[in-house]
Amino acid sequence: MFSGPLTFAGLGPHFPILQVVIPLIAAPLAVFIGVTSIAFLLAFAASIASLIISYSLLMQVIDGSIISYHIGGWAPPWGIEYRVDAANAFVLLIISAISTVVLPYAKTSIEREIRASAHTLFYACYLLCFTGLLGMVITGDAFNVFVFLEISSLSTYVLVALGAERDKRALTAAFNYLIMGTIGATFFVIGLGLLYMMTGTLNMADLGERLPALSDNRTVQTAFGFIVVGMGLKLAIYPLHLWLPNAYTYAPSAVTAFLAATATKAAIYVLMRFMFSVFAPDFTAATGALNLIILPFAVIAMFAASIIAVFQADLKKTLAYSSIAQIGYMLLGIGYFSHSGITATMIHLFNHAVTKAALFMAVGAIIYQTGTSFIPKLAGLGKQMPWTSAAIVASGLSLIGIPGTAGFISKWVLINGAFEKGWWWMAMLIVASSLIAVIYVWQVVETLYLKKPVGDVVVKEAPLSLLIPTWILVFASIYFGLDTELTLSSARAAADALLGAAPLAAGAGS
Amino acid sequence: MADGFPVAFLFFAGAALLCILPKGNARALLLLAIPVIAGYIIWLLPEGNLWSTSIFELNLELMRVDRLSRIFALVFALAAFLGNLYAWHMRDMVQQVGTLLYAGSAIGAVFAGDLVTLFLYWEGTAIASVFLIWARRTEGAYHTGMRYLIVQIGSGVLLLAGTVLLWRETGSLVFESMTLGSLATWLIFIAFGIKCAFPLLHNWLQDAYPAATITGTVILSAFTTKLAVYALARGFAGTELLIYIGAVMALFPIFYAVIENDLRRVLVYSLNNQLGFMVVGIGVGTELALNGTVTHAFVHILYKALLLMSIGAVMFRTGTAKCSELGGLYKTMPLTMIFCVVGAASISAFPLFSGFVSKSLILSASVDEGYYIVWAMLLFASAGALLYSGIKIPYFAFFAQDSGLRPKEAPWNMLLAMGIAAFLSIAIGVYPAPLYAMLPYELDYVLYTTPHVVTQLQLLFFSALAFTVLQRTGIYPQGLRSINLDTDWTYRRLLPKIISAVGKPAARLWDAIVQFSLRRINNIISGLYRTHGPEGPIAKAWPTGSMVLWIAILLAATLLVSFIDLM
Amino acid sequence: MNDKKIVDDAENLPWLGRKLLWLDKKKNVDRIVYGLYFACAILFAADFMYKKYVLVAVESIPGFYGLYGFFMAIVLVLCAKVMRVFLMRPEDYYAPNDVESEDYPEDQLERLDNNG
């Protein structure tokens, strides 16, 4: 089934389950061992193993094939099935790659942000969150998605709350997130319950076969509404984003970098999976949710969140709001309801993960050295922390979408998709909203380089253990702006996988 | 693949390397080494499309090597070498980097096999070269550089527009022979025409080149306009319109050159006139004519650089290049004077000098094809060439009345660069066969025949006689501290005048509108701040209740649209 | 421009410059001019010495190239003189700090006076 230099002989067929189980086992081990350095090594090893596994999975399915893994040998639809295709393999790769870069960064970063006694707890929670995200992406069972969603959410609440060491508001943020997240998860599970009631199955592929016959059924439509809103909350679709800014701002830097790059991405993937694989594309189009809910709110997010970002005084909050705006672009791709739209969403998933993680990590380096991310206090840091500042500028350019950066590729594909539909006005909106990004990125650049430092505190450059991971991602955000081979082909394969063999009816979404 | 690696990248890598080298001779040496290596590589390149890449499904050919592109690339490398040798003493990194990027872009453009690549390098030459003007670091040079940049970028924009239109028409981006007709080809034609300094589109040339630094003008003279000649030869060979454009172009600058005071500007007017010869050759479009154009471009780069180098050397020692301030330098700068005379003899096309080799080809080609009026105009331009640059340049700089200046001879590197250029100018004039062998087409042409030599000498000596008579009778215009109006008057004087005439009332109205809109915008921004700012209701992230409310609203909306749609 | 004639000290001049000093004498310059007259005469005469291949009818006029060159040169200069009346302007016509009116920056020059 799988061969190659990376094979651990005989383990190959079990990669889908190992993907989830390795970090899951590592998490309690980290707590039992109780030594920070070993906990770190354990987490790092688990992350690297996940990365290798997810890469080899992607290479296996990029040609359009599907791996179906039956847990405990129970055949679906009765047993739980893990189902890997190009779409979720690509997301798995994003999550595990980001995690592998963030972990070494986290080791240094949390030294000044979390008290030492909580470090092993941090790694355990981090691994659980990691497990949850991987699990909700890889599984082919609808209820299993809910389980992993809860695993990742609960651990995320703890991770956010760990930021209380630096700022007490982290506790309130975590509490808010807890309430919101729970409501979201509940909505999701209500939706699942309704589906189970109507079909008697929870296997996604099975659901996909049975639901078309029930497309006129009110209960199914209600289930669709609950699932979209519940997942929409997890992915911070615009008016349901309220938990996100504070959670990102007050969480420890490494947590923010990891969550911003992965958590919302996994949720977007799940949303797409339900919209296009579980419910048939035709059904989704017929509900009008794409045109009347997703599209308008995506556009509002692009503008409103960007404008809010301009006015923020805390750099982390600026970036958090910018994330909400970027999620708008991803939803826009879904709203196109076309192959190129889904491709745009998938590629932006990747490019934005890399870019935003790099930015949050650079800001984390500033926090590490200065203890603050309050923009006016960053004046003149360009000279004192040249590498960190340069990282912010470079990935900021990618955030705007300057040619030669990964962000440009996303916008290019997105604008192409708009033209394909004949929506030239949408292309103009995309460009216009990018101009707002120019404003908030420029504000930061101006503060870093053109303003005189406040006070005469000498700030040193961040340590290499922070800079190297940051710059790996900065280079990645430039590299993937120049060489689009891997990202574009993966994103296209993912779009194929999500939409299935059935081609979209022309103009079905418009 | 390795064979056809784009030569332009060598220059770009050199520019990057230069920044990390220590100041001084190491950098100057690098500046010499890169054109030599590039020249060697170009010499050995096989023909064909050697290096292609694709961006967004556009296929880009970065290395189209054939006989036409190779000879232009070679002479560009040679010009870069001479220019850098001439600038050996210079320690200004801005100019050094600018020179490398400029030469690299020009060579890259020559090898461009498609219009997109051509456009990229086309703009590259524009942007890199403006620094050679700004490097003078005076207010006047800054403004001149700005005007230059606007024109050059404008040319690039037209090229891009034409490229896009052509792509939509034909679906092809290949840069090959075109016929004027559609809007696309006209746009490309005009883009080339601007860089080639067609009449009425020419003035950026006379405006900008004399404003550059001493070494910068030498570099500038080689690339941009000859790149345009190459592009025209590639894209529009045989377009009859070009014959008339070229003839006018060969004529009108000589009138200006006679009365111009700044010797470097005289040389630039003469550059424009020489371009006219090349454009006529392209327009005639026969193999003989195109060979003539290519030869002329080749030798012209050498002797024009030589003349500008000699006047540059004078300027380097005296601080000025104006007729009215110079004179009598032959005693203290004799070598520079001799090199200048060699350059003057070449541009005037004296037999045994390089200009003779190429002008004869173009003149013969125009007669062969029956363009007698054009032939007579070119003959006039040749006689004029002797008058305004062949004699005027050396005479007013080194002889004429004594200015009292006694500058020292030019530094060794300048002398060496001039010496090489002078040697090549004579060598090609005496023995043109190796150059003829490199031309795009087979050439069967006997250059040194009695009628050829006698008639050419007659033309030149009688023109010289006319100069002597006019000079001795005091009719020949003397150098006066002045400038002469040219087409730039329209945009430097007329346009501002019109604008201010129309503008005063308009400005008042505009002010009112601006004031009004500013107030509006301020209101909008403060409104946005009130709503989106950190304290604003939209940015509020704390109240759990409002979040839940939103969830309820969104769920209701989703259900509503699902239900209603189906009813 | 200088009223007083500078007398050059031959010692200070480069070797080649010393050789060229004879151009300083008006008599020698006149000699060159006479040489030019003579060369023109010879070239005019040369036109009768060889067989012409006439491509353009006007070429058959004896000394056509010489006459054309001479008269066109005069026309050119006279036209240009007339142009000056209309087109000549002071150096600071466009702006007080134009490249024409401002001095070349001294730090980019290397002025060395041979007269010490």
Side-chain angles (χ1 to χ4, degrees), chain A residues 176 179-180 183 187 218 221-222 225-226 229 233 238-240 242 246 286-287 292 297 304 308 311 321 408 412, chain B residues 56-57 528-529 532-534 538-542 544 547-548 550-551 554-555 557-559 561-563 565-567:
Chain A
N176 267 304
I179 296 175
M180 299 289 290
I183 294 175
F187 270 43
R218 278 285 152 85
Q221 288 162 8
T222 313
F226 272 102
V229 174
L233 199 145
Y238 177 68
L240 310 183
L242 297 166
N246 287 320
T287 58
L292 298 173
F297 282 116
I308 298 171
F311 292 120
Y321 275 108
F408 172 71
W412 173 271
Chain B
F56 303 131
E57 283 122 35
L528 279 177
Y529 188 80
H532 292 67
I538 295 190
K540 273 198 190 122
W542 293 116
T544 323
M547 301 188 221
V548 179
W550 272 114
I551 299 174
L554 208 69
L555 178 68
T558 315
L559 292 177
V561 295
S562 330
F563 289 178
D565 239 49
L566 287 173
M567 281 194 294

Side-chain angles (χ1 to χ4, degrees), chain B residues 54-267:
Chain B
S54 64
I55 297 181
F56 303 131
E57 283 122 35
L58 296 180
N59 220 20
L60 303 186
E61 292 291 347
L62 266 62
M63 284 299 285
R64 173 177 54 192
V65 185
D66 57 16
R67 294 178 71 88
L68 183 62
S69 53
R70 190 206 307 271
I71 190 170
F72 270 94
L74 266 182
V75 72
F76 282 170
L78 178 59
F81 174 80
L82 289 175
N84 284 338
L85 178 59
Y86 183 74
W88 175 272
H89 64 279
M90 190 191 60
R91 294 291 175 257
D92 181 3
M93 200 177 88
V94 171
Q95 288 188 66
Q96 291 172 327
V97 171
T99 303
L100 281 179
L101 296 181
Y102 183 30
S105 302
I107 290 177
V110 162
F111 281 130
D114 65 281
L115 288 164
V116 173
T117 311
L118 180 73
F119 162 76
L120 292 175
Y121 284 125
W122 196 263
E123 294 288 37
T125 58
I127 294 164
S129 58
V130 75
F131 288 97
L132 299 177
I133 297 167
W134 282 338
R136 185 161 165 172
R137 299 189 172 85
T138 64
E139 196 191 324
Y142 171 75
H143 291 300
T144 311
M146 248 337 168
R147 288 197 294 274
Y148 168 81
L149 191 62
I150 290 170
V151 173
Q152 296 291 309
I153 297 281
S155 155
V157 170
L158 289 179
L159 175 60
L160 183 65
T163 303
V164 172
L165 285 177
L166 195 70
W167 187 42
R168 292 188 58 169
E169 262 170 42
T170 65
S172 160
L173 284 171
V174 182
F175 177 31
E176 58 197 353
S177 193
M178 291 172 261
T179 2
L180 277 181
S182 64
L183 177 65
T185 44
W186 272 103
L187 285 173
I188 296 176
F189 184 73
I190 292 171
F192 291 173
I194 291 176
K195 277 220 180 189
C196 198
F198 281 1
L200 301 183
L201 304 176
H202 66 281
N203 196 255
W204 61 270
L205 192 69
Q206 289 83 357
D207 185 21
Y209 282 15
T213 60
I214 290 170
T215 52
T217 309
V218 176
I219 299 283
L220 281 168
S221 75
F223 297 111
T224 300
T225 50
K226 258 61 77 185
L227 171 59
V229 166
Y230 162 80
L232 283 171
R234 170 77 71 190
F236 294 99
T239 305
E240 198 179 0
L241 179 63
L242 283 174
I243 301 176
Y244 307 110
I245 292 177
V248 175
M249 202 167 152
L251 267 193
F252 89 90
I254 61 179
F255 293 93
Y256 274 99
V258 169
I259 50 176
E260 178 58 49
N261 187 35
D262 184 339
L263 286 177
R264 295 207 300 170
R265 184 163 286 123
V266 172
L267 284 172

Side-chain angles (χ1 to χ4, degrees), chain A residues 131-139 145 148-149 152 231 266-267 269-270:
Chain A
T131 310
L133 293 172
L134 292 172
M136 65 194 262
V137 171
I138 201 171
T139 185
V145 172
F148 280 116
L149 179 70
S152 75
M231 220 11 98
Y269 159 76
V270 171

